[in-house]
Amino acid sequence: MDSPRVQGAAGFFSGPVELLEFVLPLAAAQVLGATPAQTGALLAVQFLVSLLTRPVAGVHVDRAGSERGTLLLAAAGAGCGALSFVLYTAATTLPPAFAAAGLGGLGGAYFWVAIRAHIASRIGSGDDRFAALMESESSGAWIAFLTGIPLFQIAGASAMFLTCAASCLVAGVLLAFTALTGTDRLTGTARLTGTDRLVARPFTQVEARSLLRSLRGILALTGVVAFAEGIVSLLLILHLIERLGFDLGAIALVYLPGAIVLSIAPRPLHRLVRRVPPHRILLLGLGCSAVFAAALVTRPGPVSLAVLWILSALCFSLLVPLLERLVAEVSGEHAGRGFGWYQSADLLGSAAGALAAGLLFGAGLWEVATIGAGLLLVVSGILGRRSLRSFAAVAETSELTLATPHSAGGPPPDRTPSEHHEHGKGLTSAMKRTATTLAVHVGIYLLAQVVFAFLGASWPWEVITGNTTPATILTWNSEGTQVQRWIGSVSRIWTIVVLVDILWSGYRMIVPKDKSDRTEE
């Protein structure tokens, strides 16, 4: 695994960014008195800056020449994100808000391109690193939703923006500390050499065009899939708002189960299908996603939508790490440029899909939009499999490498001697990391429950004091004010998540892993 600090930084940065996209329209209307057109312009500015900056960020990441330089660029991106939220806090008119939007787009571009390039430089045999990154991003997102939306409703937009700024600042500090010290104290091993696989050398226009040609199949597939997913995602939100009359908190609760799945499913799914050729994974993922799109034709209720969104989350858990791993393999030492183009294609497809969904929904063409998105996903899978067939041999070669026994003269190359001996006695480094992660999750949960209890809406506290029974954990909270009802429901869902997390972490610590799993640690 990569440094837990790098993975943690991804979660601390991802949460505020995802939360901002969700609440910015409401915050802009409440605080700035912005019209829908002005709110759309705010979102457009952040999108355009991020889109145009990502290829430039990729060039700068490649020129950094070392993992240390790459992590410092990511830390600078996190700092820009923190400053962006501070500007949102201070904004009382539209110009500072537009400046904050532009700065947020700039920070996000440098942060995500640099983080992915850093992971690509270490991909080696442990090619579930992008799945681990996806888990960290998703964990940060749903924790931000659970804490940020109640904070927004209780204390207002400024308190939420300041909390988001602090979270981005934590991400930047974690990355800067990792880059400057070069040691991961949680694992006790040196992780940064200053050169590693990121090599700064002249990159000619001919080489750039050659790399772009090599990536064009993946980039085209990424853009088309993002377009279809953008249609489905916006249609889902519009359906919840226009047809079912859901408010912000209720919409977040529909999305929450899928977000939790995204935070735990990528690595187990990766290990389940890692010996399956990439083009077959693509067909499976896009086929399931097409089923989700087609199911929206029936205009299902909130419970059915939550279940369908879980299906969509499983699809993302298969597809996103696969595409990112392939970009890393093709880009090689120029992963910065590769991920700059990849993320630009993803952003452009998502924006085009959202625009198309809005137009089709406004024209009353719901069935056309959902069926069209499903068909587009199926066609993308059929055509895209031809682009990915060439990677099947690479995947098989990688699996043969994983399955080859290591020499008896020393430990596996991905583990230090101390880790080698730990497998015979005591806790391994992987067990310690699992225990540490679980402790962090439980600590955050307990802190949140203290806050919820102060607001009179903590389900565990209600059980302890005898005001309710454990059987009510699967019911929706219907007592108190609107905020208390929402927080009480969040408290119950979060309790279920923590219980599942404890069981899963215990399983990972108790059940021995095979050799192929150990090489990925």
Side-chain angles (χ1 to χ4, degrees), residues 65-69 71 118 121-122 178-184 189-199:
S66 68
E67 291 192 22
R68 175 169 296 175
L71 289 178
H118 166 76
S121 72
R122 293 163 165 251
T178 302
L180 295 176
T181 61
T183 302
D184 179 2
T189 58
R191 291 294 189 185
L192 300 180
T193 64
T195 54
D196 290 321
R197 290 172 56 188
L198 297 179
V199 181

Side-chain angles (χ1 to χ4, degrees), residues 70-155:
T70 299
L71 289 178
L72 288 176
L73 281 175
C80 287
L83 184 57
S84 169
F85 281 108
V86 171
L87 284 177
Y88 275 124
T89 304
T92 55
T93 58
L94 281 173
F98 277 108
L103 197 58
L106 178 68
Y110 273 87
F111 183 88
W112 291 121
V113 171
I115 285 291
R116 282 172 169 80
H118 166 76
I119 292 176
S121 72
R122 293 163 165 251
I123 193 169
S125 61
D127 60 1
D128 70 342
R129 299 178 196 273
F130 287 110
L133 175 64
M134 188 176 189
E135 289 183 358
S136 298
E137 291 181 48
S138 302
S139 296
W142 69 259
I143 290 174
F145 272 68
L146 285 179
T147 56
I149 291 179
L151 184 63
F152 176 78
Q153 293 178 325
I154 296 169

Side-chain angles (χ1 to χ4, degrees), residues 26-310:
L26 184 58
Q30 287 185 357
V31 179
L32 304 176
T35 64
Q38 291 170 334
T39 301
L42 269 177
L43 295 171
V45 165
Q46 181 155 340
F47 163 75
L48 287 174
V49 171
S50 185
L51 177 67
L52 297 175
T53 306
R54 293 197 184 214
V56 179
V59 173
H60 289 162
V61 167
D62 284 344
R63 288 178 178 174
S66 68
E67 291 192 22
R68 175 169 296 175
T70 299
L71 289 178
L72 288 176
L73 281 175
C80 287
L83 184 57
S84 169
F85 281 108
V86 171
L87 284 177
Y88 275 124
T89 304
T92 55
T93 58
L94 281 173
F98 277 108
L103 197 58
L106 178 68
Y110 273 87
F111 183 88
W112 291 121
V113 171
I115 285 291
R116 282 172 169 80
H118 166 76
I119 292 176
S121 72
R122 293 163 165 251
I123 193 169
S125 61
D127 60 1
D128 70 342
R129 299 178 196 273
F130 287 110
L133 175 64
M134 188 176 189
E135 289 183 358
S136 298
E137 291 181 48
S138 302
S139 296
W142 69 259
I143 290 174
F145 272 68
L146 285 179
T147 56
I149 291 179
L151 184 63
F152 176 78
Q153 293 178 325
I154 296 169
S158 295
M160 185 200 70
F161 286 143
L162 282 177
T163 304
C164 290
S167 183
C168 291
L169 186 60
V170 170
V173 170
L174 286 172
L175 291 171
F177 185 73
T178 302
L180 295 176
T181 61
T183 302
D184 179 2
R185 291 184 180 177
L186 290 179
T187 59
T189 58
R191 291 294 189 185
L192 300 180
T193 64
T195 54
D196 290 321
R197 290 172 56 188
L198 297 179
V199 181
R201 66 175 182 81
F203 192 59
T204 66
Q205 290 297 323
V206 174
E207 290 176 313
R209 287 194 293 268
S210 176
L211 176 58
L212 189 56
R213 280 196 301 271
S214 300
L215 286 170
R216 64 186 177 186
I218 299 174
L219 297 180
L221 178 62
T222 299
V224 173
V225 171
F227 175 76
E229 296 292 352
I231 291 176
V232 172
S233 297
L234 184 58
L235 285 178
L236 177 57
I237 293 177
L238 292 175
H239 176 59
L240 291 171
I241 295 174
E242 299 292 335
R243 303 288 181 179
L244 301 180
F246 278 25
D247 60 9
L248 189 66
I251 293 173
L253 288 178
V254 172
Y255 274 86
L256 183 60
I260 293 171
V261 168
L262 283 173
S263 70
I264 61 177
R267 275 187 289 181
L269 281 178
H270 163 81
R271 289 168 180 163
L272 183 65
V273 303
R274 63 185 172 188
R275 290 180 175 83
V276 179
H279 62 279
R280 294 183 181 175
I281 299 176
L282 176 74
L283 279 176
L284 176 62
L286 291 183
C288 293
S289 194
V291 171
F292 168 71
L296 290 181
V297 174
T298 62
R299 302 178 187 267
V303 176
S304 300
L305 282 173
V307 173
L308 288 171
W309 193 244
I310 290 175

